[in-house]
Amino acid sequence: GFCSSSMSAEVYESLMLIGWRRCGDYFYRPTNHDTCCPMYTIRLRAAEFTPSKSQKKVLKNAEKYFTGKDLSITLSPAAFSDEKFQLYKRYQIVVHGDEESEVTQTGFQNFLVTSPLTSSIHRPGFGPYGTFHQEYRCDGTLFAVGVLDILPSGLSSVYFFYEPDMKHLSLGKYSALQEIQFCNVSGFEFYYMGFYIHSCE
């Protein structure tokens, strides 16, 4: 791996296509020939995707829950806010078992806000490539955030965090389905989902 404070979205995409990913400004590639848990890149052709029966159930349950409520999903360049950080903090503590002292504003900023990705190329009708936050709100209250790298050929899902009290809605699956829909609406060919590890449930 290596660190880079600046990299074009086009260069990062070329690296991602040969197995690299990023975590903040750290770019890494698994050494599958040395590890006990080989990691394989997942790439979905968004237009060919058909939701399964269980995925349709996730969408149906969410639709039922949000009926009569003001659900909004908006996309904007990645930026820090205390509202996002507090949500991230609750998520990390409840869902991942982090200690409160481990979840810091600096860590959040470095991991999910500050991005080394740059681009001088604008997609027609869309804007420059780079790192974005997709904010999910219900009646104005933020309940989930998807961190996305938007690249020339598609959407790369970096991270997703949500309100733990809404875990019953299977929001991780719901967000993936929303991101696939975003790919199709925006004309992106691929949806990149990180790594698949066969030995890790």
Side-chain angles (χ1 to χ4, degrees):
F2 64 91
C3 290
S4 176
S5 60
S6 180
M7 179 182 292
S8 75
E10 295 79 12
V11 169
Y12 175 52
E13 180 177 80
S14 70
L15 288 175
M16 201 169 62
L17 292 176
I18 55 172
W20 292 79
R21 295 285 291 184
R22 76 172 187 90
C23 178
D25 63 0
Y26 181 68
F27 296 79
Y28 63 95
R29 182 170 66 176
T31 53
N32 282 345
H33 58 286
D34 290 332
T35 182
C36 63
C37 306
M39 303 164 71
Y40 302 100
T41 302
I42 302 173
R43 184 178 77 171
L44 172 74
R45 292 185 183 274
E48 298 177 7
F49 173 74
T50 301
S52 66
K53 184 177 180 180
S54 63
Q55 290 164 343
K56 288 179 180 177
K57 185 176 180 180
V58 169
L59 292 172
K60 184 176 181 180
N61 288 343
E63 182 181 359
K64 182 179 179 181
Y65 178 85
F66 291 118
T67 296
K69 300 180 177 71
D70 184 9
L71 173 66
S72 68
I73 303 175
T74 58
L75 187 75
S76 58
F80 176 86
S81 74
D82 187 62
E83 182 184 35
K84 293 177 191 175
F85 172 66
Q86 294 302 329
L87 178 62
Y88 169 77
K89 188 174 184 177
R90 287 196 300 276
Y91 173 80
Q92 291 298 124
I93 292 171
V94 176
V95 177
H96 290 288
D98 288 1
E99 295 293 330
E100 185 172 357
S101 61
E102 297 176 315
V103 188
T104 65
Q105 288 189 16
T106 301
F108 172 67
Q109 182 92 21
N110 292 340
F111 179 33
L112 298 175
V113 180
T114 303
S115 172
L117 300 187
T118 63
S119 180
S120 59
I121 299 175
H122 287 234
R123 184 179 179 90
F126 183 80
Y129 303 122
T131 303
F132 293 78
H133 285 172
Q134 194 164 48
E135 299 180 16
Y136 296 72
R137 294 181 181 275
C138 180
D139 290 333
T141 300
L142 183 72
F143 69 87
V145 177
V147 184
L148 310 172
D149 284 342
I150 295 182
L151 307 171
S153 72
L155 183 72
S156 175
S157 183
V158 178
Y159 203 68
F160 181 75
F161 56 96
Y162 57 84
E163 171 54 57
D165 290 345
M166 298 175 71
K167 188 177 181 178
H168 63 284
L169 292 176
S170 301
L171 290 174
K173 295 177 183 178
Y174 179 72
S175 70
L177 294 168
Q178 289 294 330
E179 289 166 7
I180 293 169
Q181 182 182 22
F182 176 82
C183 286
N184 287 325
V185 170
S186 303
F188 290 114
E189 184 177 5
F190 296 114
Y191 177 51
Y192 300 94
M193 303 177 68
F195 293 114
Y196 166 71
I197 306 173
H198 180 73
S199 56
C200 178
E201 184 178 352

